[in-house]
Amino acid sequence: MSKTGDPQEQNQAPLIEHLIELRSRLMRAVIAILVIFLGLYAFANDIYLFVAQPLMALLPEGSQMIATEVASPFLAPFKLTLVVAVFAAVPYVLHQAWAFVAPGLYDNEKALALPILASSIALFYGGAAFAYYVVFPLLFQFFTQTGPENIAVMTDINQYLNFVLKLFFAFGVAFEIPIATFLLILSGATTVESLSKKRPYVVLGCFVIGMLLTPPDVVSQSLLAVPMYLLYEVGLLFGRLVRRKREKDEEDEEE
């Protein structure tokens, strides 16, 4: 006489398999970050000098950045190198996340998810690059030239790192607005027409977010708020294109 397995044990088996696979994916992601970090650590000081260049280029001749804490000369480049390793490993980390969830998706969802995932990565990197090459020079020029006379600018390396990492993250996330807008329209949570009517509130919201995520000056707030609004319009544009494509497909099916 054959014995049937316990239904509860049968239900737990797939869950355990998923947890094992999740642990494996997480370990791969962590190992990738660690390998990149170890490869970059020899250049930790050079990486820090590169990130500090927008400010150092504007300092008066003979000026330099300072370290006010004993361990700052070691910890600041170490922390920055670790963050750079995480940034560099993001495509691989997201690939591991994709490999974990992809088997449970339909074909049409897979076809849509891959471009969105790639676009999200590119936009985040684009936001960080925009902050470094456009925002930092303008921002630091404003800060170094508006202070009282006879005040020497001697920025602490750890405080500077915390400041620029905050801006990198803020602009990286802000550049994801087209993806968020597109997904809201695609999911049916809202419509292009509804979002278009809310433009005044969106403009106000962009400046409020810019005020919260950037230093308390109009220049840095505008440098974040204006691109956020333009990216919002980009999201609306892609939403319109998708809606037209859907309407065309429906017409073709009816014919």
Side-chain angles (χ1 to χ4, degrees), residues 164-213:
V164 297
L165 289 181
K166 179 181 177 182
L167 288 182
F168 276 137
F169 181 77
F171 278 88
V173 172
F175 270 55
E176 299 294 330
I177 287 179
I179 301 297
T181 305
F182 176 76
L183 289 176
L184 285 173
I185 296 172
L186 184 66
S187 64
T190 186
T191 62
V192 176
E193 290 75 13
S194 176
L195 292 176
S196 299
K197 293 178 182 179
K198 295 177 181 177
R199 280 192 177 96
Y201 303 102
V202 172
V203 173
L204 178 62
C206 289
F207 277 93
V208 170
I209 294 173
M211 178 183 66
L212 295 174
L213 296 181

Short mmCIF file of all heavy atoms in Angstrom, two decimals, residues 164-213:
data_model
loop_
_atom_site.label_atom_id
_atom_site.label_comp_id
_atom_site.label_asym_id
_atom_site.label_seq_id
_atom_site.Cartn_x
_atom_site.Cartn_y
_atom_site.Cartn_z
N VAL A 164 27.91 64.90 -0.90
CA VAL A 164 27.80 64.52 -2.31
C VAL A 164 27.06 63.19 -2.48
O VAL A 164 26.35 63.01 -3.48
CB VAL A 164 29.19 64.46 -2.98
CG1 VAL A 164 29.84 65.83 -2.97
CG2 VAL A 164 30.09 63.42 -2.33
N LEU A 165 27.20 62.27 -1.53
CA LEU A 165 26.47 61.01 -1.63
C LEU A 165 24.97 61.25 -1.55
O LEU A 165 24.17 60.60 -2.24
CB LEU A 165 26.92 60.04 -0.55
CG LEU A 165 28.31 59.43 -0.70
CD1 LEU A 165 28.60 58.46 0.45
CD2 LEU A 165 28.45 58.72 -2.04
N LYS A 166 24.59 62.19 -0.70
CA LYS A 166 23.17 62.55 -0.58
C LYS A 166 22.65 63.10 -1.91
O LYS A 166 21.56 62.74 -2.37
CB LYS A 166 22.99 63.59 0.53
CG LYS A 166 21.56 64.05 0.72
CD LYS A 166 21.47 65.09 1.83
CE LYS A 166 20.05 65.61 1.99
NZ LYS A 166 19.96 66.66 3.04
N LEU A 167 23.45 63.94 -2.57
CA LEU A 167 23.02 64.51 -3.84
C LEU A 167 23.03 63.45 -4.95
O LEU A 167 22.14 63.45 -5.81
CB LEU A 167 23.92 65.68 -4.22
CG LEU A 167 23.73 66.95 -3.40
CD1 LEU A 167 24.66 68.05 -3.91
CD2 LEU A 167 22.29 67.43 -3.44
N PHE A 168 24.03 62.57 -4.95
CA PHE A 168 24.05 61.49 -5.93
C PHE A 168 22.76 60.66 -5.84
O PHE A 168 22.13 60.35 -6.85
CB PHE A 168 25.25 60.58 -5.70
CG PHE A 168 26.52 61.06 -6.33
CD1 PHE A 168 27.72 61.01 -5.63
CD2 PHE A 168 26.53 61.56 -7.62
CE1 PHE A 168 28.89 61.44 -6.20
CE2 PHE A 168 27.72 62.00 -8.21
CZ PHE A 168 28.89 61.94 -7.49
N PHE A 169 22.41 60.31 -4.62
CA PHE A 169 21.21 59.49 -4.42
C PHE A 169 19.95 60.26 -4.80
O PHE A 169 19.05 59.72 -5.45
CB PHE A 169 21.13 59.04 -2.96
CG PHE A 169 19.94 58.18 -2.65
CD1 PHE A 169 19.92 56.85 -3.02
CD2 PHE A 169 18.82 58.70 -2.00
CE1 PHE A 169 18.82 56.05 -2.74
CE2 PHE A 169 17.73 57.91 -1.73
CZ PHE A 169 17.73 56.58 -2.10
N ALA A 170 19.88 61.54 -4.41
CA ALA A 170 18.70 62.35 -4.71
C ALA A 170 18.48 62.47 -6.21
O ALA A 170 17.35 62.30 -6.71
CB ALA A 170 18.84 63.73 -4.07
N PHE A 171 19.53 62.77 -6.96
CA PHE A 171 19.38 62.93 -8.40
C PHE A 171 19.17 61.58 -9.08
O PHE A 171 18.44 61.50 -10.08
CB PHE A 171 20.60 63.64 -8.98
CG PHE A 171 20.55 65.13 -8.83
CD1 PHE A 171 21.02 65.75 -7.68
CD2 PHE A 171 19.99 65.92 -9.82
CE1 PHE A 171 20.96 67.12 -7.53
CE2 PHE A 171 19.92 67.30 -9.67
CZ PHE A 171 20.41 67.90 -8.52
N GLY A 172 19.80 60.53 -8.57
CA GLY A 172 19.57 59.21 -9.14
C GLY A 172 18.12 58.79 -9.02
O GLY A 172 17.52 58.28 -9.98
N VAL A 173 17.53 59.00 -7.83
CA VAL A 173 16.13 58.65 -7.62
C VAL A 173 15.22 59.58 -8.43
O VAL A 173 14.21 59.14 -9.01
CB VAL A 173 15.78 58.73 -6.12
CG1 VAL A 173 14.29 58.55 -5.90
CG2 VAL A 173 16.54 57.65 -5.36
N ALA A 174 15.56 60.87 -8.48
CA ALA A 174 14.72 61.82 -9.21
C ALA A 174 14.64 61.47 -10.70
O ALA A 174 13.59 61.66 -11.33
CB ALA A 174 15.27 63.23 -9.06
N PHE A 175 15.71 60.92 -11.24
CA PHE A 175 15.71 60.57 -12.66
C PHE A 175 14.89 59.31 -12.95
O PHE A 175 14.74 58.93 -14.11
CB PHE A 175 17.15 60.38 -13.15
CG PHE A 175 17.78 61.65 -13.67
CD1 PHE A 175 17.84 62.78 -12.88
CD2 PHE A 175 18.32 61.71 -14.95
CE1 PHE A 175 18.41 63.95 -13.34
CE2 PHE A 175 18.90 62.87 -15.43
CZ PHE A 175 18.94 64.00 -14.62
N GLU A 176 14.35 58.68 -11.90
CA GLU A 176 13.46 57.52 -12.10
C GLU A 176 12.01 57.95 -12.32
O GLU A 176 11.14 57.10 -12.51
CB GLU A 176 13.53 56.60 -10.87
CG GLU A 176 14.89 56.02 -10.58
CD GLU A 176 15.36 55.06 -11.65
OE1 GLU A 176 14.50 54.42 -12.29
OE2 GLU A 176 16.58 54.96 -11.85
N ILE A 177 11.75 59.24 -12.30
CA ILE A 177 10.38 59.73 -12.43
C ILE A 177 9.70 59.25 -13.72
O ILE A 177 8.52 58.86 -13.70
CB ILE A 177 10.34 61.27 -12.33
CG1 ILE A 177 10.57 61.69 -10.87
CG2 ILE A 177 9.02 61.83 -12.83
CD1 ILE A 177 10.58 63.17 -10.65
N PRO A 178 10.38 59.25 -14.89
CA PRO A 178 9.69 58.75 -16.09
C PRO A 178 9.22 57.31 -15.95
O PRO A 178 8.13 56.96 -16.41
CB PRO A 178 10.77 58.87 -17.18
CG PRO A 178 11.69 59.90 -16.69
CD PRO A 178 11.72 59.77 -15.20
N ILE A 179 10.03 56.47 -15.27
CA ILE A 179 9.64 55.07 -15.08
C ILE A 179 8.42 54.99 -14.18
O ILE A 179 7.47 54.25 -14.46
CB ILE A 179 10.81 54.27 -14.47
CG1 ILE A 179 12.03 54.33 -15.38
CG2 ILE A 179 10.39 52.83 -14.23
CD1 ILE A 179 11.84 53.72 -16.74
N ALA A 180 8.43 55.75 -13.08
CA ALA A 180 7.30 55.72 -12.15
C ALA A 180 6.02 56.22 -12.83
O ALA A 180 4.95 55.62 -12.68
CB ALA A 180 7.62 56.58 -10.92
N THR A 181 6.15 57.30 -13.59
CA THR A 181 4.98 57.84 -14.30
C THR A 181 4.45 56.85 -15.32
O THR A 181 3.24 56.62 -15.43
CB THR A 181 5.36 59.16 -15.00
OG1 THR A 181 5.92 60.06 -14.05
CG2 THR A 181 4.14 59.79 -15.64
N PHE A 182 5.36 56.25 -16.07
CA PHE A 182 4.98 55.27 -17.09
C PHE A 182 4.27 54.07 -16.48
O PHE A 182 3.26 53.60 -16.99
CB PHE A 182 6.24 54.83 -17.85
CG PHE A 182 5.99 53.75 -18.86
CD1 PHE A 182 5.40 54.03 -20.07
CD2 PHE A 182 6.35 52.44 -18.58
CE1 PHE A 182 5.17 53.04 -21.01
CE2 PHE A 182 6.14 51.44 -19.51
CZ PHE A 182 5.54 51.74 -20.73
N LEU A 183 4.79 53.58 -15.35
CA LEU A 183 4.18 52.42 -14.70
C LEU A 183 2.80 52.74 -14.15
O LEU A 183 1.90 51.90 -14.19
CB LEU A 183 5.09 51.91 -13.58
CG LEU A 183 6.39 51.24 -14.02
CD1 LEU A 183 7.24 50.86 -12.82
CD2 LEU A 183 6.11 50.01 -14.88
N LEU A 184 2.61 53.95 -13.64
CA LEU A 184 1.30 54.34 -13.15
C LEU A 184 0.27 54.34 -14.29
O LEU A 184 -0.87 53.90 -14.12
CB LEU A 184 1.37 55.72 -12.50
CG LEU A 184 2.02 55.80 -11.12
CD1 LEU A 184 2.17 57.25 -10.69
CD2 LEU A 184 1.20 55.03 -10.10
N ILE A 185 0.69 54.86 -15.45
CA ILE A 185 -0.22 54.89 -16.60
C ILE A 185 -0.45 53.49 -17.13
O ILE A 185 -1.58 53.10 -17.45
CB ILE A 185 0.37 55.80 -17.69
CG1 ILE A 185 0.46 57.24 -17.19
CG2 ILE A 185 -0.49 55.74 -18.96
CD1 ILE A 185 1.20 58.18 -18.12
N LEU A 186 0.62 52.69 -17.21
CA LEU A 186 0.51 51.35 -17.75
C LEU A 186 -0.38 50.45 -16.90
O LEU A 186 -1.15 49.64 -17.42
CB LEU A 186 1.91 50.72 -17.86
CG LEU A 186 2.00 49.35 -18.51
CD1 LEU A 186 1.61 49.43 -19.98
CD2 LEU A 186 3.40 48.77 -18.35
N SER A 187 -0.30 50.60 -15.57
CA SER A 187 -1.08 49.77 -14.68
C SER A 187 -2.54 50.18 -14.61
O SER A 187 -3.37 49.45 -14.06
CB SER A 187 -0.48 49.81 -13.27
OG SER A 187 -0.57 51.12 -12.73
N GLY A 188 -2.86 51.34 -15.16
CA GLY A 188 -4.24 51.82 -15.11
C GLY A 188 -4.57 52.56 -13.83
O GLY A 188 -5.73 52.92 -13.60
N ALA A 189 -3.55 52.80 -12.99
CA ALA A 189 -3.80 53.53 -11.74
C ALA A 189 -4.21 54.96 -12.01
O ALA A 189 -4.90 55.59 -11.20
CB ALA A 189 -2.56 53.47 -10.85
N THR A 190 -3.78 55.50 -13.15
CA THR A 190 -4.16 56.85 -13.54
C THR A 190 -4.09 56.94 -15.05
O THR A 190 -3.75 55.97 -15.73
CB THR A 190 -3.23 57.90 -12.88
OG1 THR A 190 -3.72 59.21 -13.17
CG2 THR A 190 -1.81 57.74 -13.39
N THR A 191 -4.40 58.10 -15.59
CA THR A 191 -4.39 58.30 -17.03
C THR A 191 -3.50 59.49 -17.39
O THR A 191 -3.17 60.32 -16.52
CB THR A 191 -5.81 58.56 -17.57
OG1 THR A 191 -6.33 59.77 -16.96
CG2 THR A 191 -6.72 57.39 -17.23
N VAL A 192 -3.16 59.58 -18.66
CA VAL A 192 -2.34 60.70 -19.12
C VAL A 192 -3.09 62.01 -18.92
O VAL A 192 -2.51 63.02 -18.49
CB VAL A 192 -1.98 60.51 -20.61
CG1 VAL A 192 -1.23 61.73 -21.13
CG2 VAL A 192 -1.15 59.26 -20.80
N GLU A 193 -4.38 62.00 -19.21
CA GLU A 193 -5.17 63.22 -19.06
C GLU A 193 -5.21 63.68 -17.62
O GLU A 193 -5.09 64.89 -17.33
CB GLU A 193 -6.60 62.99 -19.57
CG GLU A 193 -6.72 62.81 -21.08
CD GLU A 193 -6.25 61.45 -21.54
OE1 GLU A 193 -6.06 60.55 -20.68
OE2 GLU A 193 -6.06 61.27 -22.75
N SER A 194 -5.38 62.74 -16.70
CA SER A 194 -5.44 63.09 -15.28
C SER A 194 -4.12 63.68 -14.81
O SER A 194 -4.09 64.68 -14.09
CB SER A 194 -5.79 61.85 -14.45
OG SER A 194 -5.78 62.14 -13.07
N LEU A 195 -3.01 63.05 -15.20
CA LEU A 195 -1.70 63.56 -14.80
C LEU A 195 -1.40 64.91 -15.45
O LEU A 195 -0.75 65.76 -14.83
CB LEU A 195 -0.62 62.55 -15.17
CG LEU A 195 -0.63 61.24 -14.37
CD1 LEU A 195 0.43 60.29 -14.90
CD2 LEU A 195 -0.41 61.50 -12.89
N SER A 196 -1.87 65.10 -16.67
CA SER A 196 -1.63 66.38 -17.36
C SER A 196 -2.32 67.53 -16.64
O SER A 196 -1.80 68.65 -16.57
CB SER A 196 -2.11 66.29 -18.81
OG SER A 196 -1.41 65.29 -19.51
N LYS A 197 -3.51 67.27 -16.10
CA LYS A 197 -4.25 68.32 -15.40
C LYS A 197 -3.61 68.69 -14.06
O LYS A 197 -3.90 69.75 -13.51
CB LYS A 197 -5.69 67.85 -15.15
CG LYS A 197 -6.51 67.71 -16.43
CD LYS A 197 -7.91 67.20 -16.12
CE LYS A 197 -8.73 67.01 -17.39
NZ LYS A 197 -10.09 66.48 -17.12
N LYS A 198 -2.74 67.80 -13.57
CA LYS A 198 -2.13 68.04 -12.25
C LYS A 198 -0.75 68.68 -12.36
O LYS A 198 0.02 68.65 -11.40
CB LYS A 198 -2.04 66.71 -11.49
CG LYS A 198 -3.40 66.13 -11.17
CD LYS A 198 -3.29 64.77 -10.50
CE LYS A 198 -4.67 64.19 -10.21
NZ LYS A 198 -4.61 62.85 -9.61
N ARG A 199 -0.42 69.25 -13.50
CA ARG A 199 0.90 69.84 -13.69
C ARG A 199 1.24 70.90 -12.63
O ARG A 199 2.37 70.91 -12.13
CB ARG A 199 1.01 70.45 -15.09
CG ARG A 199 1.29 69.43 -16.18
CD ARG A 199 1.67 70.14 -17.48
NE ARG A 199 2.02 69.17 -18.52
CZ ARG A 199 1.19 68.73 -19.44
NH1 ARG A 199 -0.08 69.14 -19.43
NH2 ARG A 199 1.59 67.86 -20.35
N PRO A 200 0.32 71.82 -12.30
CA PRO A 200 0.69 72.81 -11.28
C PRO A 200 1.09 72.17 -9.95
O PRO A 200 2.04 72.63 -9.29
CB PRO A 200 -0.59 73.66 -11.13
CG PRO A 200 -1.31 73.48 -12.43
CD PRO A 200 -1.03 72.08 -12.86
N TYR A 201 0.39 71.12 -9.55
CA TYR A 201 0.72 70.44 -8.30
C TYR A 201 2.05 69.70 -8.43
O TYR A 201 2.82 69.61 -7.46
CB TYR A 201 -0.38 69.46 -7.92
CG TYR A 201 -1.74 70.11 -7.79
CD1 TYR A 201 -2.70 69.99 -8.79
CD2 TYR A 201 -2.06 70.86 -6.65
CE1 TYR A 201 -3.94 70.59 -8.68
CE2 TYR A 201 -3.31 71.46 -6.53
CZ TYR A 201 -4.24 71.32 -7.54
OH TYR A 201 -5.47 71.92 -7.43
N VAL A 202 2.32 69.18 -9.63
CA VAL A 202 3.59 68.47 -9.85
C VAL A 202 4.76 69.45 -9.75
O VAL A 202 5.79 69.14 -9.14
CB VAL A 202 3.58 67.77 -11.22
CG1 VAL A 202 4.96 67.20 -11.55
CG2 VAL A 202 2.53 66.67 -11.24
N VAL A 203 4.62 70.63 -10.34
CA VAL A 203 5.68 71.64 -10.27
C VAL A 203 5.94 72.02 -8.81
O VAL A 203 7.09 72.07 -8.37
CB VAL A 203 5.29 72.89 -11.08
CG1 VAL A 203 6.31 74.00 -10.85
CG2 VAL A 203 5.20 72.55 -12.56
N LEU A 204 4.87 72.25 -8.07
CA LEU A 204 5.03 72.57 -6.65
C LEU A 204 5.69 71.42 -5.90
O LEU A 204 6.59 71.64 -5.08
CB LEU A 204 3.66 72.89 -6.05
CG LEU A 204 3.64 73.20 -4.54
CD1 LEU A 204 4.47 74.44 -4.26
CD2 LEU A 204 2.20 73.39 -4.05
N GLY A 205 5.26 70.20 -6.19
CA GLY A 205 5.84 69.04 -5.52
C GLY A 205 7.31 68.87 -5.84
O GLY A 205 8.10 68.49 -4.96
N CYS A 206 7.71 69.14 -7.08
CA CYS A 206 9.12 69.04 -7.46
C CYS A 206 9.98 70.00 -6.64
O CYS A 206 11.07 69.64 -6.18
CB CYS A 206 9.29 69.32 -8.95
SG CYS A 206 8.64 68.01 -10.03
N PHE A 207 9.49 71.23 -6.46
CA PHE A 207 10.27 72.20 -5.69
C PHE A 207 10.27 71.86 -4.20
O PHE A 207 11.26 72.11 -3.50
CB PHE A 207 9.74 73.62 -5.92
CG PHE A 207 10.27 74.25 -7.16
CD1 PHE A 207 9.57 74.16 -8.36
CD2 PHE A 207 11.48 74.92 -7.15
CE1 PHE A 207 10.07 74.72 -9.52
CE2 PHE A 207 11.99 75.49 -8.31
CZ PHE A 207 11.28 75.40 -9.50
N VAL A 208 9.19 71.28 -3.71
CA VAL A 208 9.17 70.85 -2.31
C VAL A 208 10.18 69.72 -2.10
O VAL A 208 10.95 69.72 -1.13
CB VAL A 208 7.75 70.40 -1.90
CG1 VAL A 208 7.79 69.73 -0.53
CG2 VAL A 208 6.81 71.59 -1.88
N ILE A 209 10.20 68.75 -3.02
CA ILE A 209 11.17 67.66 -2.92
C ILE A 209 12.59 68.19 -3.05
O ILE A 209 13.49 67.77 -2.33
CB ILE A 209 10.89 66.60 -4.01
CG1 ILE A 209 9.54 65.92 -3.73
CG2 ILE A 209 12.00 65.56 -4.06
CD1 ILE A 209 9.10 64.98 -4.83
N GLY A 210 12.79 69.15 -3.98
CA GLY A 210 14.11 69.76 -4.11
C GLY A 210 14.53 70.46 -2.84
O GLY A 210 15.71 70.42 -2.45
N MET A 211 13.58 71.09 -2.15
CA MET A 211 13.88 71.76 -0.90
C MET A 211 14.28 70.77 0.19
O MET A 211 15.16 71.03 1.00
CB MET A 211 12.67 72.57 -0.44
CG MET A 211 12.85 73.30 0.88
SD MET A 211 11.34 74.14 1.38
CE MET A 211 10.24 72.74 1.65
N LEU A 212 13.64 69.60 0.20
CA LEU A 212 13.90 68.61 1.25
C LEU A 212 15.18 67.83 1.01
O LEU A 212 15.86 67.43 1.96
CB LEU A 212 12.71 67.64 1.34
CG LEU A 212 11.38 68.24 1.80
CD1 LEU A 212 10.27 67.19 1.71
CD2 LEU A 212 11.48 68.79 3.21
N LEU A 213 15.53 67.60 -0.26
CA LEU A 213 16.66 66.71 -0.57
C LEU A 213 17.95 67.44 -0.88
O LEU A 213 19.00 66.79 -0.99
CB LEU A 213 16.30 65.82 -1.77
CG LEU A 213 15.15 64.83 -1.55
CD1 LEU A 213 14.93 64.00 -2.80
CD2 LEU A 213 15.44 63.92 -0.36
#
